[in-house]
Amino acid sequence: MNPGPRITREKKTIAAMMVIYCRDHHGGGGRLCRECASLLDYGHRRLDTCPFQEDKTACNRCEVHCYSSHMRERARDLMHYSGPRMLRPHPILSLWHLLDKLRPAPKLKVRPHPSRKP
């Protein structure tokens, strides 16, 4: 399945944030350390399986928590550090991310249980 433009952009944004974070915290110098590469891979897999796909809002506004609690804490640290530092090197991605935060959070559609009859 090919991701749409929204998911593709979200993956680029996370990767750019990860490079900033790893460079400043782990001396990555443009290459991600194993720990950061693992978190980036995890984030990309979560985006691939996001139930909202192209309709998604920013993850911190979503009603569905795709990340495990440990990984969510790591991602939160990454976002808090890198978010303010994104504007200068990545102004377009930063602007799109801010606009995505303004999107209304979609609601998860509840599917009827297969054993229950309407």
Side-chain angles (χ1 to χ4, degrees), residues 3 6 8 15 31 35 48 53 62 65 67-69 72 74 83 87 94 99 105 116:
R6 169 77 180 88
T8 300
R31 289 185 48 109
E35 180 181 336
D48 288 339
Q53 290 298 301
C62 188
H65 295 293
Y67 283 47
S68 69
S69 59
R72 189 167 46 247
R74 288 178 58 197
L87 191 55
S94 298
L99 291 173
R116 294 186 184 145

Side-chain angles (χ1 to χ4, degrees), residues 1-4 6-12 14 40-54 56 59 66-67:
M1 178 171 107
N2 289 332
R6 169 77 180 88
I7 296 298
T8 300
R9 188 177 74 245
E10 186 84 2
K11 286 181 176 184
K12 286 179 186 176
I14 292 172
L40 180 61
D41 180 59
Y42 182 82
H44 283 188
R45 284 184 283 130
R46 298 291 90 198
L47 284 169
D48 288 339
T49 59
C50 175
F52 302 114
Q53 290 298 301
E54 294 301 298
K56 78 181 290 306
C59 292
C66 299
Y67 283 47

Side-chain angles (χ1 to χ4, degrees), residues 6-115:
R6 169 77 180 88
I7 296 298
T8 300
R9 188 177 74 245
E10 186 84 2
K11 286 181 176 184
K12 286 179 186 176
T13 302
I14 292 172
M17 289 179 142
M18 188 61 71
V19 167
I20 291 169
Y21 183 87
C22 191
R23 178 195 66 212
D24 293 356
H25 286 83
H26 307 134
R31 289 185 48 109
L32 298 179
C33 69
R34 183 177 294 154
E35 180 181 336
C36 290
S38 172
L39 180 58
L40 180 61
D41 180 59
Y42 182 82
H44 283 188
R45 284 184 283 130
R46 298 291 90 198
L47 284 169
D48 288 339
T49 59
C50 175
F52 302 114
Q53 290 298 301
E54 294 301 298
D55 295 328
K56 78 181 290 306
T57 186
C59 292
N60 66 339
R61 298 199 51 229
C62 188
E63 72 174 24
V64 177
H65 295 293
C66 299
Y67 283 47
S68 69
S69 59
H70 172 68
M71 295 301 251
R72 189 167 46 247
E73 185 64 34
R74 288 178 58 197
R76 189 176 301 125
D77 291 344
L78 159 78
M79 302 285 175
H80 283 159
Y81 181 81
S82 299
R85 292 164 177 82
M86 281 281 292
L87 191 55
R88 186 165 286 170
H90 303 284
I92 303 300
L93 286 176
S94 298
L95 178 62
W96 276 111
H97 188 66
L98 288 173
L99 291 173
D100 289 335
K101 283 184 170 184
L102 298 176
R103 286 174 172 240
K107 297 289 183 198
L108 191 60
K109 292 181 177 83
V110 178
R111 294 185 307 216
H113 193 275
S115 66

